[in-house]
Amino acid sequence: MKIAIPDRGSLAKEYFERYEQYQEIVDWLRRDLENLLNCEGVRAIVRARIKSFESYYQKILRKCKSSGNSSLCLSINDLLGLRIVCPFLDDLKAVERILERNYTISQIERKGNGHNFREFAYESTHLLLNVPELMYTCYGFKNPVVTEVQLRTILQDAWAEIEHQLVYKTGAEDTVQRNRRKLAAINATLTLLDLDIQELRNVEEQTSASS
């Protein structure tokens, strides 16, 4: 059965008409998260973004193709996105607990956890955060609005950005495979560094507590 592809023009019209509202919502969430983290003594960088229309539309097309169901194509959960970047691994757990206490989280996905040491793996925790009802209704949205939140350490974030440039923006398959092998080795090194940095922090905290 042929899948009905959503009309690009209609989607673009709605996207750009709503863009300022999207921006206000995601900026409000960023400020609120920064305040919550500061109150809890967690040092982190919070970034907010809206997926570009082209990326949004291409994702809809991929979803239509993979799902085979045109009615599911428009349910994109990462049109609005937040990224929280922390210095230490334990900070990620602390941030996750703060999010769960203050928002409704509908899904948590720990990317990279299911891979063994031989596999190339992107590492990040992705959460789907429901925007508070008062926030989305005051901007005229009738349906709930979801925001994707990514949690990463500084090293995980650096690796993901480099990987995106060297793999997803490279066309030649042989170059992609060569980059993947090298990046897998770099990722392993950065993972060990994250563990070493956390261990140093633990030692410092224990020393401070006993002095």
Side-chain angles (χ1 to χ4, degrees):
M1 184 178 72
K2 189 174 181 180
I3 302 169
I5 302 299
D7 179 65
R8 181 188 176 98
S10 299
L11 287 175
K13 183 175 183 294
E14 181 181 6
Y15 174 92
F16 289 108
E17 284 179 349
R18 294 256 188 207
Y19 190 86
E20 287 188 12
Q21 297 167 331
Y22 289 142
Q23 190 67 62
E24 289 184 21
I25 288 174
V26 81
D27 284 343
W28 180 88
L29 286 170
R30 176 183 53 78
R31 291 192 299 270
D32 192 52
L33 282 171
E34 287 174 340
N35 289 333
L36 288 170
L37 295 176
N38 285 335
C39 288
E40 296 284 345
V42 176
R43 296 181 60 187
I45 298 169
V46 183
R47 302 182 187 129
R49 66 105 181 99
I50 302 171
K51 190 182 284 292
S52 70
F53 175 74
E54 189 59 35
S55 295
Y56 169 60
Y57 185 66
Q58 290 302 319
K59 186 161 188 176
I60 286 174
L61 294 183
R62 290 194 301 272
K63 193 167 185 180
C64 284
K65 184 177 179 180
S66 63
S67 69
N69 187 338
S70 58
S71 64
L72 298 177
C73 293
L74 299 180
S75 58
I76 302 299
N77 291 318
D78 64 344
L79 177 58
L80 306 184
L82 293 160
R83 183 178 301 166
I84 303 176
V85 181
C86 304
F88 305 101
L89 287 168
D90 279 357
D91 290 337
L92 302 180
K93 301 171 188 175
V95 172
E96 191 174 317
R97 289 193 294 268
I98 292 168
L99 291 173
E100 290 179 317
R101 285 200 305 268
N102 291 278
Y103 296 97
T104 300
I105 305 299
S106 58
Q107 181 180 312
I108 299 177
E109 182 180 6
R110 306 184 198 285
K111 293 182 178 289
N113 271 13
H115 295 76
N116 64 42
F117 73 95
R118 293 186 181 89
E119 294 178 302
F120 172 85
Y122 162 81
E123 292 186 60
S124 184
T125 299
H126 291 198
L127 305 92
L128 294 184
L129 181 153
N130 295 340
V131 174
E133 184 177 359
L134 182 62
M135 172 56 59
Y136 70 77
T137 55
C138 76
Y139 286 107
F141 290 90
K142 296 180 180 179
N143 297 320
V145 177
V146 176
T147 302
E148 182 187 70
V149 181
Q150 299 177 354
L151 307 183
R152 298 175 184 167
T153 65
I154 293 171
L155 294 180
Q156 287 172 349
D157 189 54
W159 182 87
E161 291 296 328
I162 293 168
E163 180 260 359
H164 182 75
Q165 294 293 325
L166 294 180
V167 172
Y168 289 101
K169 292 192 175 182
T170 301
E173 183 61 27
D174 59 336
T175 303
V176 168
Q177 292 304 318
R178 186 167 61 251
N179 286 344
R180 282 186 180 276
R181 286 192 292 270
K182 290 180 179 178
L183 282 166
I186 294 170
N187 187 34
T189 301
L190 293 178
T191 299
L192 289 173
L193 285 173
D194 256 336
L195 292 169
D196 288 341
I197 291 168
Q198 182 61 54
E199 186 177 347
L200 287 172
R201 187 196 201 191
N202 293 343
V203 169
E204 182 185 0
E205 289 178 343
Q206 291 169 4
T207 303
S208 298
S210 60
S211 61

